[in-house]
Amino acid sequence: MIMPAGRPLLLPANSRFIALTVVVGLLLNMLLGFVGWHWLPDVLAIVVVFWNVHQPRRVGVLLAFLLGLALDVHESALLGQNALSYVVLSSMALAIQRRLLWFPLREQALQIVPLFVATALLEWVIRLIVQDAWPHWTQLFAPLMQAALWPLIGALLLAPQRRAFDPDNIRPL
């Protein structure tokens, strides 16, 4: 396998690890939803986009839809509001998946910003149409915070998959 210079080789992700990270992301989203601050990042969206980019055959649009429905039920929101935004987010992530993998995580964060901003605007439009109320302006900070967290969460999620260039009998990895 030919890899760009200086990039570590990655093992395939374990399905249990993917499921664990998705459940932890869902639980973090549910806990952050109790606080009521609109500027907090959507951790589940970051995790879903990350796995859509790095493991598109295991995590796809259907899982994003189901997670969005679970979040809709939890938030007592319009049924399908978060599901629609997660499906759109996953579709856009799958569209740029191959190009995104050529960049390091910090540069990926710059390319992920439009995806998070577009889904935030989609949620704004849905709330304007349905609730007939102007959404809070602090929700504009959430997509920027999600992009800022992308390198950190990406490094955490890629850590179990990394392996050494020259494995030997001394090192376990």
Side-chain angles (χ1 to χ4, degrees), residues 17-35 41-49 51 59 62-76 82-83 85-86 146 153 157:
F17 180 69
I18 293 173
L20 175 73
T21 57
V22 167
V23 168
V24 167
L26 180 65
L27 292 175
L28 275 173
N29 245 21
M30 290 178 175
L31 288 174
L32 291 176
F34 285 131
V35 177
D42 188 355
V43 180
L44 183 61
I46 300 170
V47 172
V48 167
V49 169
W51 288 123
V59 178
L62 179 63
L63 181 64
F65 178 75
L66 295 174
L67 291 169
L69 283 179
L71 212 55
D72 286 333
V73 170
H74 170 71
E75 293 176 354
S76 298
N82 287 317
S85 66
Y86 280 8
Q146 289 169 340
I153 292 177
L157 295 179

Side-chain angles (χ1 to χ4, degrees), residues 71-118:
L71 212 55
D72 286 333
V73 170
H74 170 71
E75 293 176 354
S76 298
L78 177 69
L79 193 61
Q81 173 182 336
N82 287 317
L84 175 65
S85 66
Y86 280 8
V87 165
V88 169
L89 184 64
S90 294
S91 300
M92 289 190 297
L94 288 171
I96 66 167
Q97 178 253 347
R98 289 184 178 223
R99 180 181 53 142
L100 203 61
L101 290 176
W102 280 97
F103 296 102
L105 287 172
R106 283 184 300 195
E107 293 176 15
Q108 286 179 7
L110 294 174
Q111 297 183 18
I112 292 293
V113 170
L115 275 66
F116 291 137
V117 169

